[in-house]
Amino acid sequence: MNHSPLETAILFHVGFVPIARAVVTTWGLMAALTLGCWLATRSLQLVAPGWQAVIESVVVGIEEQIQAIMGRDAGPFLPLLGTLFIFLVFANLSGIVPGVTAPTASLETPAALAAIVFLSVHFFGIRIRGFVAYLKGYVKPNPAFLPLNILSEITRSFSLAIRLFGNVMSDDLVLAIILALAGLLVPIPFMAFAILIGLVQAYIFTVLAAVYIGGGIGAIPK
Amino acid sequence: MNFSWWTFALQAANFLILVWLLHRFLFKPVRAIIARRKEEVSRALAEASAEKESAERLKHELETRMSAISAERQKMLDEAKALLSAERQKIIEEAQREAKRVRDQALQRLEEDRISASEKLYERTVELAINLAQRLLKEVAISSIEHLFLPRVIDYLDRMPAEERAKLLSRNGISNVLVTTAHPLDTHDQSEWREQLTKRLGGHLSITFDADSALIAGAALTFPHAILNFNWRDCLTLASKELNGNEHPR
């Protein structure tokens, strides 16, 4: 890490569009995940072999977790929330690979994810509850709470993005500093800690997204 | 610190594309295979349940059939027992009837044997009595006793109707009459017999005389169509017939 973690590292431009390092890393992750998923699921069997059982366990685990949080069928939310969790896990952990910077350590990525969660809350809320019923949720318990509810919606999305960005960025920064200062073996505990932080942050982000969407559809009280 | 909106937009787009890709290549097929497995499990469970139900029904049917068979067996056993009992009773009754019949036959045969023996004994007794009487009469019968029988013959012929008496004789008018006596008659007695017979029967008689000690005493008149016995042998024969002809004492 030879640049400020608060600045966006632009690798190249496509026309007038700057392509940042985080975007390239994300493309790599997308390619790897897509290829891995395609290879893993191209010949699924009824009697699952070991690798298929692991994949099924991951998917079923995410689905059950979403269902436990929302208290309803997780089917409509699984693609978004499941992808969110898997992408965050791989994105957060990519930072421990030498020469790779985690995309989530760049503010634009958590901000984009938080923005998608923010929009998803409204999308699923309106789709499931209806437009009027959804909007009525902002004037409860009485219309005086409307500004506070709107402010809450915005701030929690900001906090969602900043929390993820701060944790991952600081983790990468601390790891870089330790690597620069200490020898070869000293950073290992910090790297393990970074793995834990990455998994926890992915889980927290996904769970909070599920809670927000659940609140939006009325399954969870706001 | 700077914030690149292009990066923000690209990351948002990347993420949405990744959502579609993972939905297409991960969640959808995995959920599909899980759903299919659940369906298979449900179908297998349904089949197992149906088979279990079928097995239960079959078991119930078998139990019912076994119960029916048991009942039928018991019924058949009871019927067989009743049949055997009836057959045994019938055989016993048949045997009792046969025994009674054999006993009755034996008793009847014994009775018949007893009667036969009694009859034989009676006949033998009669025969002995006749023989004894015959022997005794032969001892007491003397030649002078013969003239005692002529009045009886005369009396018999006198009481006989004329037409009956005529039947004794031959139709051509000449009749041979043989007078057989137990003891030979002398000339005087023969003349008296001839005279008395001619007097009762008519004049065309050819009377001859003979002697037969078997008569014991008395005479036998032999006509062409009849024999008149006035002798003790005939009496004894009649007595014997009379005794044997009567119901014997049992």
Side-chain angles (χ1 to χ4, degrees), chain A residues 6-8 16 18 20 23 26-27 30 34 37-38 41 44-46 52 56 60 63 75 78-79 82-84 87 107-109 111-113 116, chain B residues 1-27 29-31 33-34 36-37 40:
Chain A
L6 299 178
E7 290 183 359
T8 305
F16 58 89
V23 174
T26 301
W27 285 344
M30 285 170 66
T34 303
C37 289
W38 176 71
T41 60
L44 293 174
Q45 297 169 14
L46 277 178
Q52 184 181 328
E56 286 183 12
V60 171
E63 192 173 4
L78 181 63
T83 304
L84 191 60
F87 173 70
L107 181 58
E108 289 84 356
T109 304
L113 297 178
I116 287 171
Chain B
M1 180 180 181
N2 60 350
F3 187 85
S4 169
W5 288 101
W6 277 112
T7 303
F8 172 81
L10 286 171
Q11 288 297 72
N14 285 339
F15 181 75
L16 291 177
I17 291 168
L18 186 62
V19 167
W20 181 83
L21 287 171
L22 289 193
H23 174 65
R24 169 73 180 76
F25 293 111
L26 179 65
F27 298 118
V30 170
R31 290 191 80 199
I33 196 72
I34 290 171
R36 195 173 146 209
R37 186 181 298 135
E40 289 288 326

Side-chain angles (χ1 to χ4, degrees), chain A residues 124-140:
Chain A
F124 286 115
I126 292 168
R127 183 178 171 190
I128 292 173
R129 295 172 68 186
F131 185 73
V132 177
Y134 177 72
L135 288 182
K136 280 182 181 176
Y138 283 94
V139 294
K140 288 182 179 177

